[in-house]
Amino acid sequence: GDSVTQMEGPVTLSEEAFLTINCTYTATGYPSLFWYVQYPGEGLQLLLKATKADDKGSNKGFEATYRKETTSFHLEKGSVQVSDSAVYFCALNYGNKLVFGAGTILRVKS
Amino acid sequence: KAGVTQTPRYLIKTRGQQVTLSCSPISGHRSVSWYQQTPGQGLQFLFEYFSETQRNKGNFPGRFSGRQFSNSRSEMNVSTLELGDSALYLCASSLLSQDSPGANVLTFGAGSRLTVL
């Protein structure tokens, strides 16, 4: 079945450091790919999405590129801030059903 | 534009009881999905409703059920509660484009946190 694998956390970075959170997927067909973010005590917020191969999603300085050849959708940000501390979920959408990765906790120190 | 509203936000029940959670989608959204989030199992799909019909169901026992009303509002019910049902229950709504269903963006509510004692 469809699945998503994310790098385990927590990831701890200093402010202004470069961020990469790896995400790979297994799916039949060609799903859409998403990154969601969850702040403490809140629901999930859409961060960015990509609907087909080679699409790049971007938002708030975060970027991810849909790589069909490596079945990956790695999340990157050039300079993280303390306010980016949260849990990040990679997900695929096939048939309006989201399959999520386990989530990666990001902690940014000032 | 109001977001997805879930009620109640927090509730405590005891084993064997039942619970009903409510979700009001974004105006105009006709698809409503439910997810369970636990530390051990992560985020798992429960079911999806569109136009009052269940379109998709996850791998959960029959104690978990749901419905959708004509105004797109949805409820989910869990009967005979078990300790393992303690979780954050998230509702999400989407427009559900027939042209590109996989690109639909699900907007989530803040969740209902259920504690079973």
Side-chain angles (χ1 to χ4, degrees):
Chain A
D2 297 347
S3 65
V4 175
T5 302
Q6 285 181 240
M7 64 187 288
E8 289 190 25
V11 174
T12 303
L13 297 173
S14 297
E15 209 165 19
E16 299 183 4
F18 184 86
L19 168 71
T20 299
I21 300 178
N22 290 338
C23 170
T24 57
Y25 67 91
T26 302
T28 54
Y30 302 101
S32 295
L33 300 174
F34 300 81
W35 277 99
Y36 280 87
V37 59
Q38 186 174 37
Y39 297 98
E42 298 184 13
L44 300 172
Q45 298 177 27
L46 177 69
L47 185 57
L48 52 85
K49 71 173 185 178
T51 59
K52 60 184 187 299
D54 300 324
D55 265 3
K56 177 187 280 189
S58 61
N59 185 27
K60 300 180 183 178
F62 291 90
E63 293 182 340
T65 301
Y66 191 144
R67 301 287 188 200
K68 192 175 76 169
E69 64 276 11
T70 54
T71 61
S72 65
F73 193 54
H74 304 320
L75 182 68
E76 297 182 334
K77 186 176 185 183
S79 176
V80 294
Q81 306 300 313
V82 172
S83 58
D84 294 327
S85 298
V87 184
Y88 292 80
F89 293 92
C90 184
L92 63 84
N93 186 353
Y94 199 68
N96 213 44
K97 169 188 163 184
L98 286 172
V99 176
F100 288 92
T104 302
I105 297 171
L106 172 64
R107 297 182 180 136
V108 181
K109 305 179 299 183
S110 59
Chain B
K1 192 173 184 180
V4 178
T5 304
Q6 292 189 244
T7 56
R9 287 293 312 278
Y10 302 91
L11 65 166
I12 300 174
K13 295 285 187 179
T14 56
R15 280 180 297 175
Q17 288 187 310
Q18 74 164 13
V19 65
T20 299
L21 308 177
S22 179
C23 173
S24 294
I26 291 172
S27 178
H29 285 194
R30 295 171 62 193
S31 170
V32 174
S33 304
W34 290 88
Y35 290 79
Q36 181 196 63
Q37 185 177 25
T38 60
Q41 299 299 316
L43 282 153
Q44 293 185 288
F45 172 77
L46 279 157
F47 26 65
E48 183 212 358
Y49 287 87
F50 179 78
S51 293
E52 302 177 65
T53 300
Q54 186 180 88
R55 288 182 357 124
N56 212 342
K57 188 178 192 307
N59 190 24
F60 279 82
R63 300 184 297 107
F64 292 80
S65 63
R67 59 178 175 168
Q68 186 180 33
F69 302 96
S70 58
N71 62 357
S72 294
R73 191 177 69 85
S74 177
E75 290 181 346
M76 67 162 283
N77 183 277
V78 187
S79 62
T80 319
L81 284 166
E82 301 176 0
L83 295 179
D85 298 332
S86 294
L88 180 66
Y89 290 88
L90 292 164
C91 170
S93 72
S94 69
L95 274 172
L96 194 63
S97 164
Q98 295 299 324
D99 293 331
S100 184
N104 276 300
V105 174
L106 275 67
T107 302
F108 285 83
S112 293
R113 184 166 295 281
L114 169 66
T115 302
V116 182
L117 302 176

